[in-house]
Amino acid sequence: MRFLFILHGLSIDNAQGRLQGQFDSPLSEQGREQSQALGRRLVEEERNVSAIYASDLSRAAETAEILASSLDVPVILDERLREYGFGVLTGVVWRDVEHLHPEIWRAYYERHEWGPIPGEEGDGAFHTRLTAALADIRKGHGEEDSVAVVTHGGSLGMIMAGLLGIALQRPHPFRFGNASLTVVEIDQRGVVLSCLNDTCHIDGHPG
């Protein structure tokens, strides 16, 4: 089975430097253009996607709908594909964290890692819900199918870490551009990463 993992297009709050988490933000006009460019690429490459699964948050759901209009396939929204729950940091503009939550700010800059965040989801719960969502997607499709999954940066990092057997941690060791394409093939032999964070449809360079 082939997974086409896609990070949503640029959202309005991405551009504002907001820590979105599960804060709901729509795509910006640039994000719509990025998503349209990816849709054209998938058509040109004849990816033959069977369905698009997406987080129900606006920025992912709208990206999925734009792709679906190009590919003529259904969109299935799944809240389990949402971004990590950042607790008290949800929706906070990054430059305001130092003032609003100085203890979190200090931990991040002194130890280069996130300290405890009141109300956060936790890596275990995060991994469990994403793993369950992917397992259900696989159950609904044949081994020869290709499906697209539109989700968020933290979610993609956790998914990739789990699939590749990398320690589950935040920050994860991956970076994904908006409307990027990552392709993973899973069969009886295991997991093959054939494309990572490809944005050639946006920047014009070969992937």
Side-chain angles (χ1 to χ4, degrees), residues 6-203:
I6 294 162
L7 178 61
H8 60 78
L10 184 74
S11 72
I12 290 174
D13 286 303
N14 277 145
Q16 294 176 349
R18 193 178 300 277
L19 289 164
Q20 294 175 107
Q22 297 185 10
F23 184 83
D24 206 6
S25 174
L27 290 180
S28 65
E29 188 55 40
Q30 182 180 353
R32 295 187 183 96
E33 292 171 357
Q34 292 170 337
S35 302
Q36 291 163 358
L38 176 55
R40 290 191 295 269
R41 173 186 175 176
L42 296 179
V43 171
E44 290 169 1
E45 293 181 353
E46 299 181 347
R47 287 289 183 169
N48 298 319
V49 173
S50 300
I52 300 174
Y53 294 83
S55 159
D56 62 343
L57 296 175
S58 297
R59 55 195 185 272
E62 187 176 357
T63 299
E65 291 293 347
I66 291 171
L67 296 177
S69 67
S70 296
L71 298 171
D72 192 27
V73 294
V75 173
I76 300 96
L77 300 182
D78 189 335
E79 66 180 11
R80 294 175 298 177
L81 294 172
R82 286 184 177 189
E83 180 59 285
Y84 184 76
F86 276 112
V88 297
L89 294 185
T90 300
V92 175
V93 176
W94 176 245
R95 64 177 177 271
D96 294 336
V97 173
E98 182 177 15
H99 170 67
L100 295 174
H101 303 286
E103 68 290 350
I104 297 174
W105 178 272
R106 283 195 300 273
Y108 186 80
Y109 278 98
E110 291 175 2
R111 301 197 299 271
H112 305 290
E113 63 183 24
W114 289 108
I117 301 171
E120 69 178 318
E121 180 175 9
D123 287 345
F126 189 33
H127 178 252
T128 295
R129 68 171 165 86
L130 290 168
T131 299
L134 290 189
D136 286 345
I137 292 171
R138 290 190 68 184
K139 288 177 185 176
H141 294 274
E143 290 301 314
E144 301 303 316
D145 285 350
S146 294
V147 298
V149 176
V150 183
T151 184
H152 310 270
S155 302
L156 279 179
M158 182 62 78
I159 288 169
M160 294 305 300
L163 289 175
L164 299 176
I166 298 171
L168 305 179
Q169 60 185 9
R170 287 181 304 105
H172 55 74
F174 300 97
R175 292 293 178 267
F176 300 97
N178 288 112
S180 62
L181 176 64
T182 294
V183 181
V184 174
E185 299 177 43
I186 303 175
D187 60 25
Q188 294 178 345
R189 296 169 296 176
V191 176
V192 175
L193 174 62
S194 57
C195 175
L196 177 65
N197 189 34
D198 191 343
T199 56
C200 68
H201 47 281
I202 297 172
D203 58 33

